[in-house]
Amino acid sequence: MVISEWLKYAKQKISSVGIKSAELDAELIAGFILGRERTWLRAFGEEILNQEIIDELELLLEKRLNFYPIAYILGFKNFYGRDFFVNENTLIPRPETEDLVEITLSTAEDFSGEIKILDVGTGSGCIPVTLALENPRISASGVDISEKALKVANENAKNLNAKVDFWQSNLLKNIPENIKYDIITANLPYVDESWKTSKEITHEPSLALFAENKGLDLIYKLITQAPQKLKSDSRLILESDPCQHREIIDFATKYGFELKYIKNYITVFKLNLN
């Protein structure tokens, strides 16, 4: 079998189970096993595959046919132009979280000097690592309740040469009393268990996805804790489903937060301490 034949076969198999990215997934799997770019696969489609390679390809193809996320198969996910290591202990970074990073970088321009940012529920660490690399004035940290997720975050910081501190904490519970931040970011679990979700999500950690109280439980808890850890004129930047925004805004207002900005999945609040 040559490369082009296997790609055609794999595309058909992946497509048959309803996965829309069949062609891309087939090329990514082949490229991963062969150590080649997708453009090379197309240019050298007549290269013969030996049986050992075919067996390796089949093993990964079978995983994909069982809706195992392609990012877990490859071991990385590109986020904001960088490849982040991911595994089943972390949520796979999504495009809407890139909006959170973009908005946070823009918001950071409102501050002078060093900008202290804490990312809550950091998972793979993609948010604080990206922020630290994109703006040298940002001093970024991340917390997560999962020790396994924090290992992934630390590995990403090391691999990408980012100076980011990570430690274990249930929301803001273990944050030292004397530390306060200019910005707190959070992509906390906000999926309600009654929502219809994709089959791929069953392979991601439920701890990073689902929350009680219509998906709002952890977001509400963070809002109640955040004023004690934020400086004057600070920001709280949250990711959630747009259907939750109205309830989040109403709740945050009760704790001194003023809505400043909404874009897609992201809400930005300013803390008024007066």
Side-chain angles (χ1 to χ4, degrees):
M1 181 180 286
V2 298
I3 291 173
S4 61
E5 290 173 334
W6 188 87
L7 288 172
K8 182 179 179 181
Y9 154 79
K11 176 184 175 181
Q12 291 173 341
K13 293 279 286 186
I14 297 170
S15 181
S16 71
V17 298
I19 296 174
K20 296 180 179 179
S21 56
E23 183 174 12
L24 172 62
D25 290 355
E27 290 181 347
L28 288 173
I29 289 170
F32 177 72
I33 293 298
L34 295 171
R36 299 288 188 175
E37 298 292 332
R38 292 165 58 203
T39 52
W40 185 93
L41 299 176
R42 296 167 188 165
F44 295 90
E46 298 309 305
E47 291 281 325
I48 297 174
L49 300 168
N50 63 43
Q51 191 58 48
E52 183 180 353
I53 292 294
I54 292 173
D55 290 344
E56 292 180 16
L57 289 169
E58 288 295 320
L59 184 64
L60 297 190
L61 176 60
E62 189 62 30
K63 284 188 173 184
R64 190 65 186 119
L65 294 176
N66 286 303
F67 298 93
Y68 195 68
I70 194 71
Y72 289 159
I73 291 174
L74 303 178
F76 72 90
K77 176 67 175 179
N78 189 272
F79 180 85
Y80 216 81
R82 300 179 179 89
D83 288 340
F84 282 81
F85 165 60
V86 292
N87 61 25
E88 288 182 324
N89 298 310
T90 65
L91 195 68
I92 298 168
R94 287 162 165 79
E96 49 265 35
T97 307
E98 293 189 340
D99 283 343
L100 186 151
V101 167
E102 188 71 34
I103 290 167
T104 303
L105 289 170
S106 177
T107 302
E109 296 304 314
D110 295 339
F111 299 88
S112 60
E114 181 187 47
I115 308 155
K116 293 182 69 65
I117 298 180
L118 176 68
D119 183 50
V120 183
T122 199
S124 65
C126 64
I127 294 173
V129 168
T130 302
L131 293 173
L133 292 173
E134 289 292 321
N135 187 336
R137 292 199 297 121
I138 290 177
S139 173
S141 304
V143 295
D144 203 288
I145 195 171
S146 168
E147 288 186 23
K148 292 180 179 179
L150 290 171
K151 289 181 180 179
V152 174
N154 275 300
E155 184 167 341
N156 279 320
K158 181 180 178 181
N159 290 344
L160 294 168
N161 196 28
K163 295 181 179 179
V164 179
D165 294 321
F166 296 102
W167 63 91
Q168 189 176 23
S169 180
N170 184 352
L171 299 177
L172 303 181
K173 184 177 180 181
N174 296 334
I175 307 300
E177 292 184 6
N178 61 325
I179 298 180
K180 293 198 174 186
Y181 297 91
D182 298 294
I183 300 172
I184 290 177
T185 61
N187 176 20
L188 292 169
Y190 59 78
V191 177
D192 183 85
E193 291 192 359
S194 68
W195 293 0
K196 183 178 180 180
T197 56
S198 68
K199 293 180 180 179
E200 281 90 346
I201 276 183
T202 62
H203 295 280
E204 296 187 73
S206 59
L207 184 67
L209 282 166
F210 300 102
E212 297 179 353
N213 190 16
K214 297 186 292 184
L216 295 168
D217 184 58
L218 294 175
I219 291 175
Y220 281 178
K221 287 179 179 178
L222 176 62
I223 289 171
T224 63
Q225 296 174 7
Q228 287 73 48
K229 298 301 178 185
L230 284 168
K231 300 177 184 178
S232 176
D233 196 33
S234 54
R235 304 289 190 274
L236 176 64
I237 303 178
L238 304 172
E239 180 176 328
S240 62
D241 192 273
C243 73
Q244 299 167 318
H245 286 172
R246 185 70 262 164
E247 291 176 90
I248 291 172
I249 293 166
D250 291 343
F251 188 87
T253 301
K254 300 174 185 177
Y255 289 87
F257 289 101
E258 172 192 354
L259 178 68
K260 298 296 292 183
Y261 186 72
I262 296 178
K263 180 182 178 182
N264 300 329
Y265 283 70
I266 312 304
T267 50
V268 180
F269 294 93
K270 177 181 178 181
L271 178 62
N272 294 316
L273 294 177
N274 297 329

